């Protein structure tokens, strides 16, 4: 069910990795991250998809960073994919963006807040690309059956589902790991978003907080209960990142975590 062009190491008994910066900030930083993550995943035999948002449409404040321009960012995604022979993914936010983004990436990601938007799902499905749907913070794992079915009924059976936590009070999220096997039973690969699931939204400052020290814990638990893929946003220096600075994994910690995850994967089969 993992059918993505240019995806390497698919003959290995491994989870796949979706990783990159939260947003495309510029070409140099995107290339740096893709090159390093590519080296690590080649060394460990992990299938790798580069991730970067060409635009951040969901921001708490109007003065928050949203992007460097759609065409510029999408071209950077395409350059990264070409230079390192990697598949790439980005999120889309409206029906009209599906065809545009599909010209540059291999997987279209549906943001959690938009996972029930029928027109968006149908438009993504009609591109023929893999559609990775993030589970809304407000939905049960069981309810993702209907979201998934919208894509399949539109003629595209390449659907992934991503767990990213559930709303817990006003300013926190919690991960119910029962949701991973529940969603896997629907028949699609399931991804664990290990960084967004640690967000602390709705802060008084208007800037989302987070608990990045727990990224490794979330990732380990996800692999232990059978996640097919791991999603992590990573950056050489998260403190200066223009989006999700409070949640991203420092790039120099990635190899150590992935090595541990491979051991867990081997142990659980």
């Amino acid at each position: 069910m993992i059918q993505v062009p240019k995806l390497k190491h698919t003959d290995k008994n491994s989870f796949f990795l979706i990783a990159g910066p939260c947003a495309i900030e510029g070409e140099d930083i995107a290339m740096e991250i893709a090159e390093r993550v590519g080296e690590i995943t080649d060394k460990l035999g992990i299938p790798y998809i580069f991730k970067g948002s060409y635009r951040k449409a969901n921001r708490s404040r109007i003065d928050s960073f949203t992007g460097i321009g759609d065409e510029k960012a999408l071209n950077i995604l395409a350059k990264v994919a070409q230079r390192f022979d990697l598949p790439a993914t980005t999120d889309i936010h409206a029906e009209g963006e599906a065809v545009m983004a599909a010209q540059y990436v291999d997987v279209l990601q549906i943001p959690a807040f938009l996972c029930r938007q029928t027109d968006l799902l149908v438009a993504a499905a009609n591109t023929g690309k893999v559609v990775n749907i993030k589970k809304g913070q407000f939905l049960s794992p069981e309810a993702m059956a209907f979201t998934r079915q919208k894509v399949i009924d539109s003629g595209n059976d390449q659907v992934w589902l991503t767990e990213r936590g559930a709303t817990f009070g006003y300013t926190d999220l919690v991960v119910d790991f029962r949701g991973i096997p529940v969603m896997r039973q629907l028949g699609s690969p399931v991804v664990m978003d290990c960084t967004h699931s640690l967000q602390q939204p709705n802060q008084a400052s208007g800037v989302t907080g987070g608990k990045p020290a727990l990224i490794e814990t979330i990732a380990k638990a996800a692999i232990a209960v059978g996640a097919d893929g791991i999603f992590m946003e990573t950056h050489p220096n998260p403190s200066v990142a223009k989006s999700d600075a409070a949640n991203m994994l420092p790039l120099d910690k990635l190899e150590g975590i992935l090595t541990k995850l491979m051991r867990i994967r081997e142990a659980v089969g």
Side-chain angles (χ1 to χ4, degrees):
M1 304 233 1
I2 309 297
Q3 300 175 13
V4 181
K6 299 180 289 186
L7 191 62
K8 305 172 187 175
H9 310 299
T10 55
D11 57 330
K12 305 291 197 303
N13 181 28
S14 175
F15 56 89
F16 62 95
L17 177 70
I18 302 173
C22 178
I24 297 297
E25 303 175 4
E27 184 170 333
D28 290 346
I29 192 69
M31 293 292 179
E32 178 185 350
I33 295 170
E35 181 175 25
R36 181 60 186 136
V37 181
E39 291 171 349
I40 294 168
T41 51
D42 281 343
K43 176 181 176 181
L44 297 176
I46 298 172
Y48 171 46
I49 301 165
F50 178 79
K51 181 270 171 184
S53 296
Y54 71 89
R55 177 167 18 109
K56 300 301 294 183
N58 172 31
R59 308 296 281 149
S60 297
R61 297 179 359 185
I62 198 168
D63 60 348
S64 296
F65 174 81
T66 57
I68 59 175
D70 291 358
E71 185 175 355
K72 184 176 181 180
L74 286 166
N75 274 310
I76 290 171
L77 280 164
K79 282 185 179 181
V80 167
Q82 182 177 25
R83 180 174 298 183
F84 299 109
D85 194 29
L86 293 169
T89 184
T90 194
D91 9 33
I92 59 173
H93 319 92
E95 180 182 357
E97 296 178 29
V99 171
M100 175 182 70
Q103 298 176 66
Y104 298 88
V105 299
D106 306 282
V107 178
L108 295 177
Q109 181 173 285
I110 307 299
F113 282 129
L114 302 177
C115 69
R116 290 188 60 178
Q117 297 299 105
T118 300
D119 289 347
L120 178 60
L121 293 166
V122 171
N126 287 341
T127 67
K129 300 289 184 176
V130 174
V131 181
N132 180 25
I133 312 170
K134 288 198 170 184
K135 181 179 75 65
Q137 303 91 322
F138 46 87
L139 285 181
S140 70
E142 292 85 356
M144 289 300 288
F146 306 106
T147 294
R148 171 182 178 271
Q149 198 63 41
K150 290 178 183 180
V151 178
I152 293 173
D153 287 347
S154 300
N156 186 342
D157 63 358
Q158 290 300 304
V159 188
W160 303 347
L161 303 176
T162 293
E163 170 63 53
R164 54 97 73 231
T167 299
F168 186 71
Y170 287 120
T171 60
D172 209 354
L173 298 171
V174 65
V175 178
D176 179 357
F177 286 97
R178 297 174 299 178
I180 291 176
V182 167
M183 289 193 290
R184 288 189 85 234
Q185 288 174 2
L186 299 175
S188 292
V190 175
V191 181
M192 181 69 231
D193 183 339
C194 302
T195 45
H196 289 105
S197 62
L198 290 166
Q199 284 181 331
Q200 293 180 304
N202 302 322
Q203 299 296 313
S205 64
V207 178
T208 297
K211 297 180 178 179
L214 293 173
I215 291 171
E216 180 175 329
T217 301
I218 294 290
K220 287 177 176 177
I223 294 299
V225 299
D228 301 285
I230 292 291
F231 177 109
M232 290 185 187
E233 289 183 339
T234 185
H235 194 283
N237 185 1
S239 66
V240 301
K242 295 182 178 180
S243 179
D244 270 359
N247 301 292
M248 282 195 282
L249 180 75
L251 186 57
D252 61 5
K253 293 186 177 181
L254 181 63
E255 183 172 359
I257 291 177
L258 292 179
T259 300
K260 294 175 184 177
L261 297 185
M262 288 294 289
R263 293 174 184 158
I264 296 171
R265 175 75 174 195
E266 291 169 5
V268 299

